[in-house]
């Protein structure tokens, strides 16, 4: 008899972490590998944020805190929601967790009963379906094609809703595509949700500040205030503030939901790091100008990668509105042969070929629920991106 729970048999290890680890192993073995699988900025955490953490240590702020966030951090989060999103949350409507992933997981664990359905637009961040499964829910994947801008339409949402639907998960800008929902997009989805009062909305806004070309970010509770009492607005400091390792995510939502999430956290991890929370207060309250400066670099990298990939034989790369990913199609390579005589039958075959032939590590689109595509993170140096894209062009040219 296995010691492992049956539910884990349905859960897949994170493909993005697997790719990053594989690239690291190959590098350690002396291979020339460029890893484009990790979703974290290559910029350092700003100096003022690091200074706040050091000051917290020096002041002895190294004890347990309130389970789901210090009063100072909850105050900073409430101010951020009001300032940037026009949303009013009281302290008992805010939850702080060890990264956005824990916040999402807590919400699903606190609300899902066996058989409850969660609508997950695909392509999706790899963890959404598996977290639903761990919470004994049923993920309902809804394909969002490139022709739709990789975004869920009102018609597709309405068709996916059943009496068992508990949540809709929205991620904008998106991991893995970089697609972002406009206010008009969200308005159309909100109209469907207003007709289905049993459906809650979990909106993952982690890449809120990483948008380009004048795109105006909006979140659904801001677009339709009537949805506030059944929306969990999730965000964090990891991406925009270059604080992935600090592990601070947060959310605003109805007090009963936040209380239930607190109960889950109190019996699992308890509070996030006290020092990280102090750093997050400074991140949210301190200077924000570096975000725009970083975005200029990200936009230049995006434009470079999109151009070079569209010059590669058999690839097609749309221009994303935000985040730091591109999600190119490799449909033009399917059916072709490698120099070793192997036929490229899937996007997994294609990314394996890139890693083995030219040492570029990317993640197959099927891991995100849509094939044949692949994801590249351009949150790395411009030099490495140029080198990687040149290698990808070379690999594509060698297919026959």
């Amino acid at each position: 008899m296995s010691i492992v729970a049956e539910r884990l048999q349905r859960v897949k290890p994170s493909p993005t972490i697997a790719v990053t680890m594989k690239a690291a192993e190959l590098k350690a073995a002396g291979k020339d590998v460029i890893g484009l699988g990790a979703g974290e900025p290559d910029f350092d955490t700003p100096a003022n944020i690091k200074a706040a953490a050091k000051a917290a240590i020096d002041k002895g702020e190294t004890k347990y805190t309130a389970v789901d966030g210090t009063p100072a951090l909850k105050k900073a989060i409430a101010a951020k929601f009001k300032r940037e999103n026009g949303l009013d949350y009281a302290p008992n409507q805010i939850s702080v967790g060890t990264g956005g992933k824990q916040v999402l997981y807590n919400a699903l664990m606190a609300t899902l009963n066996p058989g409850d359905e969660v609508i997950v637009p695909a392509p999706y961040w790899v963890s959404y379906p598996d977290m639903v499964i761990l919470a004994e829910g049923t993920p309902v994947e809804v394909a969002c094609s490139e022709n739709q801008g990789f975004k869920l339409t009102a018609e597709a949402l309405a068709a996916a809703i059943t009496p068992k639907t508990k949540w809709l998960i929205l991620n904008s800008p998106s991991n893995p595509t970089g697609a972002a929902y406009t206010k008009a997009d969200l308005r159309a989805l909100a109209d469907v949700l207003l007709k289905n009062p049993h459906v809650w909305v979990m909106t993952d806004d982690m890449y809120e500040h990483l948008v380009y070309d004048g795109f105006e970010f909006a979140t659904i509770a801001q677009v339709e205030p009537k949805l506030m009492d059944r929306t969990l607005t999730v965000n964090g400091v990891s991406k925009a503030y270059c604080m992935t390792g600090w592990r601070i995510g947060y959310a605003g939502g109805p007090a009963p939901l936040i209380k239930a999430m607190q109960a889950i956290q109190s019996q699992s991890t308890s509070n996030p790091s006290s020092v990280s929370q102090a750093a997050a207060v400074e991140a949210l309250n301190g200077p924000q100008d570096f975000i725009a400066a970083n975005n200029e670099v990200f936009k230049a990298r995006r434009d470079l990668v999109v151009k070079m990939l569209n010059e590669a034989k058999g690839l097609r790369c749309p221009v994303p509105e935000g985040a730091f990913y591109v999600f190119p199609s490799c449909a033009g390579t399917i059916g072709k042969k490698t120099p070793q005589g192997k036929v490229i039958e899937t996007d997994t075959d294609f990314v394996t070929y890139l890693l083995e032939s030219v040492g570029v590590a990317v993640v197959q689109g099927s891991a995100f629920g849509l094939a044949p595509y692949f994801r590249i993170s351009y949150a790395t140096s411009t030099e490495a991106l140029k080198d990687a894209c040149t290698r990808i062009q070379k690999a594509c040219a060698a297919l026959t």
Side-chain angles (χ1 to χ4, degrees), residues 264-315:
I264 296 288
Q265 190 157 305
S266 71
Q267 299 295 0
S268 54
T269 62
S270 195
N271 66 275
S273 160
S274 59
V275 175
S276 293
Q277 290 188 71
V281 171
E282 174 62 22
L284 295 173
N285 289 344
Q288 308 289 304
D289 53 332
F290 67 93
I291 296 176
N294 288 353
N295 279 8
E296 286 299 314
V297 177
F298 279 139
K299 181 182 181 298
R301 291 173 178 175
R302 179 202 67 173
D303 294 344
L304 168 74
V305 171
V306 168
K307 180 177 184 293
M308 292 188 73
L309 291 179
N310 278 322
E311 291 170 352
K313 188 179 178 184
L315 302 186

Side-chain angles (χ1 to χ4, degrees), residues 5-295:
E6 288 182 9
R7 73 178 75 89
L8 277 182
Q9 295 175 11
R10 299 167 59 201
V11 174
K12 305 178 295 292
S14 169
T16 51
I17 293 175
V19 166
T20 302
M21 290 177 63
K22 179 67 174 176
E25 287 171 8
L26 289 170
K27 282 183 180 179
K31 303 290 185 183
D32 179 16
V33 174
I34 302 174
L36 301 180
E40 65 176 345
D42 57 317
F43 304 118
D44 193 16
T45 303
N48 63 303
I49 298 173
K50 292 193 288 186
K54 294 173 187 175
I57 294 172
D58 291 339
K59 287 187 288 185
E61 295 178 11
T62 55
K63 309 295 185 183
Y64 293 132
T65 74
V67 166
D68 63 348
T70 61
L73 182 51
K74 287 193 173 190
K75 181 180 178 182
I77 291 166
K80 174 262 182 278
F81 275 132
K82 179 66 174 175
R83 178 178 71 244
E84 297 179 349
N85 309 113
L87 300 176
D88 285 303
Y89 290 113
N92 69 336
Q93 294 178 302
I94 291 172
S95 177
V96 183
T98 307
K101 182 179 280 191
Q102 185 186 22
V103 173
L104 295 163
Y105 182 80
N106 286 349
L108 293 169
M109 287 295 293
T111 59
L112 292 182
N113 294 310
D116 283 346
E117 295 176 351
V118 178
I119 295 173
V120 183
Y124 46 71
W125 179 45
V126 293
S127 294
Y128 294 145
D130 290 297
M131 286 195 289
V132 171
I133 290 168
L134 281 170
E136 299 189 72
T138 302
V140 177
E141 298 178 15
V142 180
C144 303
S145 71
E146 185 182 339
N147 291 337
Q148 300 167 335
F150 299 120
K151 293 183 284 188
L152 182 69
T153 64
E155 294 76 17
L157 172 59
I161 292 173
T162 75
K164 294 182 178 180
T165 305
K166 177 68 72 77
W167 286 100
L168 161 67
I169 298 179
L170 283 178
N171 177 209
S172 174
S174 159
N175 175 3
T177 65
Y181 287 79
T182 64
K183 289 180 182 177
D185 293 331
L186 295 173
R187 176 72 263 164
L189 296 176
D191 288 342
V192 174
L193 292 164
L194 289 174
K195 296 174 185 175
N196 293 275
H198 67 293
V199 181
W200 286 58
V201 193
M202 188 179 295
T203 177
D204 182 348
D205 298 343
M206 194 62 69
Y207 298 91
E208 169 184 3
H209 291 297
L210 303 178
V211 291
Y212 315 109
D213 305 320
F215 184 90
E216 290 188 17
F217 174 84
T219 193
I220 199 162
Q222 176 184 17
V223 171
E224 179 46 82
K226 291 179 183 176
L227 293 175
M228 273 281 286
D229 62 356
R230 53 186 168 111
T231 297
L232 185 70
T233 305
V234 183
N235 213 312
V237 298
S238 60
K239 311 299 182 180
Y241 296 95
C242 311
M243 295 175 67
T244 51
W246 298 78
R247 307 307 299 135
I248 294 292
Y250 58 82
L257 171 60
I258 297 299
K259 185 177 180 180
M261 291 166 61
Q262 181 191 57
I264 296 288
Q265 190 157 305
S266 71
Q267 299 295 0
S268 54
T269 62
S270 195
N271 66 275
S273 160
S274 59
V275 175
S276 293
Q277 290 188 71
V281 171
E282 174 62 22
L284 295 173
N285 289 344
Q288 308 289 304
D289 53 332
F290 67 93
I291 296 176
N294 288 353
N295 279 8

Side-chain angles (χ1 to χ4, degrees), residues 360-385:
V360 175
V362 300
V363 187
Q364 65 273 21
S366 52
F368 304 98
L370 195 68
Y373 293 84
F374 62 101
R375 190 194 79 171
I376 282 179
S377 167
Y378 54 84
T380 190
S381 75
T382 303
E383 293 73 21
L385 290 170

